[in-house]
């Protein structure tokens, strides 16, 4: 049969299908099958997920770094006014930490991992600090280094998150008040007490 060449809207007849098509295109664009401009939703979703994941990773890393930096004692060796002991040492000072009168247990195996044995570590929960050090440096014999290995804060202002703005922080060595805190050069057999009392 004859080609469909009549425009039903205008009731015009065209010589051939191409003529009708051209007419429809010009006069009745609404009839043309909509050119689907495919919106790249999938691509955008993938990018969004990628960006979120990368963001979370970066955020996590920054968080971890900040947390560690906040907890760690940064020991400035230029503040340490003593000579490092020469040769290997194996000393055992003893540390007690009291917060508002309560003794805070010091964990076993601080500074001992499957791959590393730090020159300061603990073996038991008895508060004995083992300074087992073949090449002592000034930094590795101070109390702050133990806290650094432990990943906790110690300074004249704070122990853990207990700070002098909300209480009193005191330290004594063998019963005598000491003001060195993180910079204290520990000796074999020392009895070290750090006490924090809230206001
Ligand atoms: Zn040991
Ligand atoms: Zn030991």
């Amino acid at each position: 049969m004859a080609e469909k060449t009549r425009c039903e809207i205008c009731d015009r007849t065209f010589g051939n299908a191409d003529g009708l098509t051209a007419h429809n295109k010009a006069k009745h664009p609404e009839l043309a099958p909509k050119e689907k401009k495919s919106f790249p939703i999938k691509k955008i979703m993938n990018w969004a997920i990628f960006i979120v994941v990368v963001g979370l990773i970066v955020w996590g890393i920054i968080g971890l770094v900040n947390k560690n930096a906040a907890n760690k004692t940064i020991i400035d060796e230029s503040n340490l006014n003593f000579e490092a002991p020469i040769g290997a040492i194996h000393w055992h000072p003893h540390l007690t930490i009291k917060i508002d009168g309560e003794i805070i247990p010091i964990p076993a195996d601080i500074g001992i991992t499957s791959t590393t044995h730090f020159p300061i570590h603990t073996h038991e929960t008895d508060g004995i600090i083992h300074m087992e050090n073949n090449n002592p440096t000034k930094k590795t014999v101070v109390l702050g280094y133990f806290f650094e290995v432990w990943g906790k804060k110690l300074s004249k202002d704070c122990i853990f998150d207990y700070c002098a703005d909300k209480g009193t922080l005191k330290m004594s060595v063998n019963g005598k008040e000491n003001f060195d805190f993180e910079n204290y050069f520990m000796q074999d057999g020392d009895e070290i007490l750090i006490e924090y009392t809230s206001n």
Side-chain angles (χ1 to χ4, degrees), residues 19-183:
L20 177 62
T21 305
H23 164 80
N24 278 340
K25 210 171 168 186
K27 302 286 179 188
H28 314 298
E30 73 278 7
L31 292 181
K34 281 227 169 71
E35 260 184 67
K36 266 201 188 150
K37 204 174 177 191
S38 67
F39 197 63
I41 288 178
K42 232 178 164 179
K43 225 174 172 179
I44 288 172
M45 283 294 287
N46 284 343
W47 270 104
I49 290 168
F50 176 74
I51 288 166
V52 167
V53 168
V54 168
L56 281 176
I57 290 170
V58 169
W59 179 73
I61 289 170
I62 289 172
L64 269 181
V65 168
N66 281 344
K67 198 173 169 221
N68 285 341
N71 281 338
K72 275 191 176 168
T73 309
I74 307 299
I75 300 157
D76 180 356
E77 270 195 317
S78 64
N79 286 340
L80 303 177
N81 302 314
F82 58 82
E83 293 301 318
I86 294 167
I89 57 170
H90 189 168
W91 293 351
H92 297 112
H94 182 256
L95 174 64
T96 305
I97 299 169
K98 281 188 186 176
I99 307 289
D100 290 327
E102 205 177 307
I103 292 180
I104 305 299
I106 296 166
D109 294 332
I110 291 171
I112 294 178
T113 70
S114 54
T115 51
T116 318
H117 214 98
F118 282 85
I120 285 188
H121 53 260
T122 63
H123 286 288
E124 312 284 340
T125 55
D126 51 12
I128 292 177
I129 294 173
H130 295 255
M131 303 168 72
E132 296 176 28
N133 201 330
N134 291 330
N135 296 295
T137 62
K138 286 186 187 183
K139 175 177 164 151
T140 57
V141 295
V142 295
L143 182 57
Y145 179 67
F146 174 67
F147 277 77
E148 191 172 306
V149 170
W150 191 5
K152 304 284 183 192
K153 217 185 302 186
L154 174 70
S155 67
K156 65 177 174 37
D157 299 315
C158 298
I159 179 158
F160 310 143
D161 289 321
Y162 300 94
C163 294
D165 58 339
K166 289 178 181 154
T168 310
L169 182 59
K170 281 193 173 186
M171 171 169 152
S172 71
V173 178
N174 302 322
K176 207 172 156 237
E177 186 161 16
N178 186 291
F179 302 93
D180 289 344
F181 291 94
E182 77 273 24
N183 294 329

Side-chain angles (χ1 to χ4, degrees), residues 5-22:
T5 53
R6 194 175 69 87
C7 173
E8 293 178 15
I9 298 167
C10 324
D11 199 22
R12 274 178 68 187
T13 306
F14 295 87
N16 55 40
D18 287 345
L20 177 62
T21 305

